[in-house]
Amino acid sequence: MSSIVVPSASIVLSVVASAPTPSESAAAPSKNGGSVQTSSSPSSDEILVYWLNIALLCVLALFFLARLPRAFGRFSRLSEWTKGIFLKIGSSPLRYTPQQPPSGRVHHHRPDMTMADESSAQSHTFVAHDVNDKGGKVRISRRSDPPMHVPALSSLFHPFSKLFSYPVIPGLSIGKFIIKIVYLIGVVVVTFLDDGNPFSHPSRVGLISASQVPVAIALGTKNNLVGMLLGMGYEKLNFLHRWVGIITFATGNIHALYYFYKWTIEGSLNENFQEPFVRWGLIGLIGLEILYFTSLGFFRHRAYNFFLSAHIIGIFLLLIGICFHFNTCVKYVVIGIVIYSLDHLIRIAKTRITTARILTVPELGLTRVELPMVRAGWRAGQHIRLRVLSMEMGWYGWSVAHPFTVANASRAGYYPSDNGFSTQREMRVLAEGPYGGYGDMVFASYSSAMLVAGGSGVTFALSQAEELVQAVHAGKSAIKFIELVWITQDAGSLAPLVPAFSALIEVMAPVPGVVLNISVFYSRASAKAIEKSAAERVAAFAPALSVHPGRPALPKTLVKFARLTAALQRTRGVAIGVCGPIELVEDVRRAARVIDGELRSACGGVELHEEVFGW
C-alpha cells in the first residue's frame, strides 16, 4: 500500500475598498445591500489577469505538445485506450489456488546469477516449484510484437536534462523548483505591471487570487484534467497545487490586510464591517485561513480526517464568501465548480460496489485486500481508493477513502496462498479508481527494467513485474532483463510474498532469452541472522530469488545492469521504477545519475519513474 498525498486547497479572497483610487474606479464596488456591481467594460486589472490566465494555458499547451510523441507511442495500441480508466467486474470471482511449494535444497548463491551487488558472501538462493492459477502449462506466444518505444525528453536531451533531477531539498528537484519560480515571476510581473502596487492598489492582487480558483481546483481533483493532458497522475501535480495555494493565500491576505490596516488608521473599521459585501469578504477570508493552515503538513500527516473535514468547510466558506463579495469573482468560481463537479461525476462512474477479502499481514505491517470480482481495468503501478461499507468504521469513517496500491497485474494468474496471513474477513466496499501509475511510460517497450521497492512499496513493483511477465508471454514485450530489488527491515517479511515471487520466476523459467531476478535485502539483519532465520529456508523456493543482508549498492547495480543491456544487439533503453520513502527515491535518482553519457547512449537511455510515500 502506498500513501497518497492529498493536495492542499488554494483559493483566494478579494476584499474591495469603499474608497477606490482613480485607477481602481472601473473595478470599485457600489454598496447595494450585499452584492457588488461592476461596470460593463472590463477594467485594466481584469484585462491583465485575463492575459495571465492565457499565459498559463500557453505554458500548459507547450508541455502537452512535448508529451504528444510519447502519448502517440502508448496509444498506438488500441488496448491502451481502455486500460487504466475503469475497473471491470467479472461474472464470477477468481479462484485463488493455494500454492504450497515443496521444500527444496539450499544452494549457495553465485554472484553472476543476479544483477544485485551482494553485501555479503553469505547470501543464498533456494529452489521451489509453483503453479499458476489454472494449474496448467504456461503458454508462450511465438509472435513478437513489442510496443512502440518513444524515448523521454530526458533521454533525448541528456546530459542537459540531468541538471533538472538534482534535488533542491528532499522531494523538490531543480526542475520542479524552476516551474514554481516561473509561476511566481508571472504573478509578480502582472501584479506590478502598468504602475501596479499591491500596497497601494490591492484590488489587482485580489483579482489574481480569484482567477486561480479554477487553476487550484483543476490541479487538485483526482480525475485531473491537467494530468490527463500531460500523461501523469494527480499526485504528481500536488507540488504545483500546493504552490498555487501558497501564492493565492499570500495575495489574498495582502489584499485583505491592506483594507484592514487602512480602515483601522481611518477609524472606520466598524463602519465598513457593517457593509454586507465586506462581511461576505470576511467569511471568504476565514475559509481561506482554514484551508491554508489545516493543509500544513503538521495536520495532514497526523490528522488526515481532520484535514479533510476542514478542507470541505473551508472551500464552502471561501466560495460562498467571494461570490457575494465581488461579482467579478463569480465567473472564476463557476468554472472551478464545473471542474470539481465533473471530477465527482467521473469518480461515481469509476466506483464499483463489490465484496472484499481483508487480511492482515503482520510480517509486513500492512493490510492485504482481495477483490475477487474485479478482474481487470487497471495498469501496473496504479492504486484504488476503498471505502468500507460498515458502521464499524464509525458514522464518518466509512465515507473516508483509503488508498491501496494494486499488487498484481490486470488479469494476472498468479495469486499467493493464505499462508503467512493472519486475521481475515469479508466486507462490502466501494472501490474507486484506478488512479496514478506510469502515465505514458510503457515498461514493455524497453530492453530491460529494474524495479526498486522499499517496505510496502513492493506491491508497486509486484504489479509491474506481473504485467511484464504477461507481456513477455503474449509476445508483446521487448524486455530481456527484469530485476526486482526489495529492501525491507525485518528478516521475516519475505515469507508472505514467497508464493508470489516464486510464481513469477516459475512462469518465466521456460521463456528463452528473458531473465528475471529478484533480490531481497534485509537492511537491519546481519549475515548470521539470515543464516539462523526462517528466511533462509523460505527463500529456498525459487532459483532466482536471492537474500542479502544490509542495503544494495545501487550505483554499482545500475551501472552493471546498463552494461548488460548495452551488450544486446538492439537496445531500447533501461526503465527504472522506484517506490518507497523519499530517502530511497533520492538514492535511486543519484544512482541513475552515475551512469555516464556513453553508457546511456549504448543502452538506449535510462529513464526513471518515482513513487514516493507520503500524504
Side-chain angles (χ1 to χ4, degrees):
M1 179 179 69
S2 64
S3 300
I4 306 302
V5 179
V6 180
S8 58
S10 51
I11 312 175
V12 119
L13 171 69
S14 177
V15 181
V16 186
S18 58
T21 63
S23 61
E24 295 176 277
S25 59
S30 61
K31 303 170 185 178
N32 64 349
S35 182
V36 181
Q37 304 297 326
T38 59
S39 62
S40 57
S41 60
S43 67
S44 60
D45 291 343
E46 291 181 68
I47 293 173
L48 286 172
V49 171
Y50 168 80
W51 284 110
L52 171 64
N53 291 328
I54 293 297
L56 292 176
L57 290 175
C58 290
V59 172
L60 175 61
L62 288 176
F63 278 97
F64 173 70
L65 291 175
R67 173 243 176 170
L68 274 181
R70 296 201 89 189
F72 177 79
R74 173 189 169 188
F75 291 109
S76 60
R77 288 184 177 271
L78 294 179
S79 60
E80 286 293 331
W81 287 85
T82 57
K83 288 178 63 177
I85 301 176
F86 296 104
L87 299 175
K88 298 178 182 178
I89 301 292
S91 56
S92 60
L94 287 172
R95 291 181 298 175
Y96 296 86
T97 304
Q99 298 173 350
Q100 302 291 344
S103 55
R105 287 187 301 121
V106 175
H107 296 270
H108 285 278
H109 172 66
R110 299 198 314 270
D112 60 341
M113 291 178 65
T114 177
M115 291 305 306
D117 279 4
E118 299 181 54
S119 302
S120 167
Q122 305 298 322
S123 299
H124 302 281
T125 298
F126 307 86
V127 177
H129 303 279
D130 205 354
V131 295
N132 60 19
D133 67 321
K134 298 181 180 179
K137 294 182 178 180
V138 177
R139 295 183 178 180
I140 305 172
S141 174
R142 296 182 179 180
R143 182 172 60 93
S144 178
D145 182 25
M148 180 186 298
H149 179 68
V150 180
L153 292 178
S154 60
S155 293
L156 297 176
F157 292 99
H158 187 82
F160 177 73
S161 60
K162 177 181 177 180
L163 300 175
F164 296 103
S165 68
Y166 285 93
V168 178
I169 58 174
L172 179 66
S173 65
I174 291 179
K176 291 181 179 180
F177 180 74
I178 290 175
I179 292 174
K180 294 169 73 171
I181 292 299
V182 169
Y183 180 88
L184 176 61
I185 290 174
V187 171
V188 171
V189 167
V190 172
T191 299
F192 287 94
L193 198 64
D194 193 22
D195 296 326
N197 188 333
F199 303 107
S200 61
H201 182 193
S203 64
R204 184 181 297 178
V205 290
L207 286 173
I208 290 174
S209 300
S211 72
Q212 300 309 293
V213 170
V215 178
I217 294 178
L219 290 170
T221 53
K222 295 296 182 288
N223 298 285
N224 198 305
L225 179 62
V226 178
M228 292 177 186
L229 291 174
L230 301 182
M232 60 180 64
Y234 69 90
E235 69 279 4
K236 298 295 187 296
L237 295 170
N238 274 328
F239 81 97
L240 189 56
H241 178 71
R242 294 196 189 102
W243 186 240
V244 173
I246 292 172
I247 289 179
T248 51
F249 171 79
T251 53
N253 276 274
I254 290 172
H255 176 79
L257 290 174
Y258 167 84
Y259 292 109
F260 293 162
Y261 176 77
K262 177 182 178 181
W263 293 337
T264 301
I265 295 297
E266 295 175 348
S268 60
L269 186 64
N270 291 334
E271 178 185 350
N272 280 284
F273 272 113
Q274 300 305 313
E275 297 295 335
F277 78 91
V278 175
R279 291 179 179 177
W280 283 113
L282 181 61
I283 291 173
L285 180 64
I286 292 172
L288 179 62
E289 307 305 309
I290 292 174
L291 284 169
Y292 177 77
F293 286 107
T294 60
S295 296
L296 297 176
F298 178 85
F299 295 103
R300 198 172 64 247
H301 298 156
R302 294 171 175 80
Y304 176 74
N305 288 343
F306 170 76
F307 152 76
L308 187 61
S309 301
H311 232 57
I312 296 171
I313 295 172
I315 284 180
F316 177 78
L317 292 176
L318 180 58
L319 296 183
I320 293 295
I322 65 175
C323 276
F324 286 96
H325 172 64
F326 193 27
N327 281 351
T328 303
C329 301
V330 173
K331 58 187 176 185
Y332 298 121
V333 175
V334 169
I335 295 173
I337 290 176
V338 169
I339 295 173
Y340 187 79
S341 301
L342 181 61
D343 168 64
H344 277 68
L345 288 175
I346 297 175
R347 287 195 198 186
I348 294 172
K350 298 179 76 166
T351 300
R352 304 289 183 267
I353 301 177
T354 185
T355 300
R357 289 180 65 200
I358 301 177
L359 310 94
T360 60
V361 190
E363 295 88 345
L364 297 176
L366 52 78
T367 301
R368 177 173 180 255
V369 180
E370 298 174 355
L371 303 176
M373 299 297 294
V374 179
R375 308 296 296 271
W378 66 89
R379 297 179 71 209
Q382 290 189 304
H383 66 270
I384 62 175
R385 294 158 53 83
L386 290 182
R387 294 176 174 86
V388 179
L389 299 178
S390 173
M391 292 307 296
E392 295 180 34
M393 302 292 294
W395 66 272
Y396 176 73
W398 70 269
S399 64
V400 177
H402 303 273
F404 286 83
T405 300
V406 183
N408 61 289
S410 182
R411 300 186 186 277
Y414 323 114
Y415 298 95
S417 70
D418 293 336
N419 292 345
F421 298 104
S422 182
T423 307
Q424 64 176 336
R425 59 183 303 185
E426 291 191 354
M427 307 186 80
R428 297 291 284 176
V429 298
L430 291 175
E432 176 197 329
Y435 296 113
Y438 291 98
D440 293 330
M441 190 176 185
V442 181
F443 267 60
S445 69
Y446 294 80
S447 296
S448 57
M450 174 168 284
L451 307 170
V452 184
S456 60
V458 68
T459 56
F460 182 87
L462 265 178
S463 62
Q464 183 58 67
E466 285 196 1
E467 188 166 282
L468 287 175
V469 169
Q470 285 183 347
V472 168
H473 279 266
K476 298 180 179 180
S477 171
I479 286 287
K480 300 300 180 184
F481 303 104
I482 304 172
E483 183 79 13
L484 195 159
V485 179
W486 181 32
I487 306 163
T488 183
Q489 296 179 354
D490 187 4
S493 300
L494 179 59
L497 294 179
V498 164
F501 286 157
S502 59
L504 286 172
I505 295 170
E506 182 76 11
V507 296
M508 285 296 291
V511 181
V514 182
V515 178
L516 168 66
N517 287 307
I518 300 175
S519 303
V520 180
F521 288 83
Y522 298 131
S523 59
R524 294 185 179 180
S526 63
K528 291 183 178 180
I530 293 179
E531 288 280 2
K532 297 178 180 179
S533 71
E536 183 181 70
R537 298 190 297 273
V538 171
F541 297 147
L545 175 60
S546 57
V547 181
H548 314 261
R551 296 179 179 274
L554 289 173
K556 293 181 181 179
T557 300
L558 281 174
V559 168
K560 187 185 296 184
F561 199 61
R563 288 173 179 168
L564 189 65
T565 305
L568 296 172
Q569 291 184 348
R570 181 182 179 185
T571 58
R572 287 180 161 214
V574 176
I576 305 171
V578 56
C579 180
I582 184 62
E583 295 80 10
L584 174 63
V585 173
E586 293 289 353
D587 286 345
V588 174
R589 190 183 295 169
R590 282 193 294 269
R593 289 197 295 265
V594 171
I595 302 175
D596 57 45
E598 183 178 353
L599 182 55
R600 280 177 180 266
S601 299
C603 68
V606 178
E607 298 174 16
L608 176 64
H609 177 86
E610 307 166 359
E611 294 287 340
V612 183
F613 291 169
W615 295 100

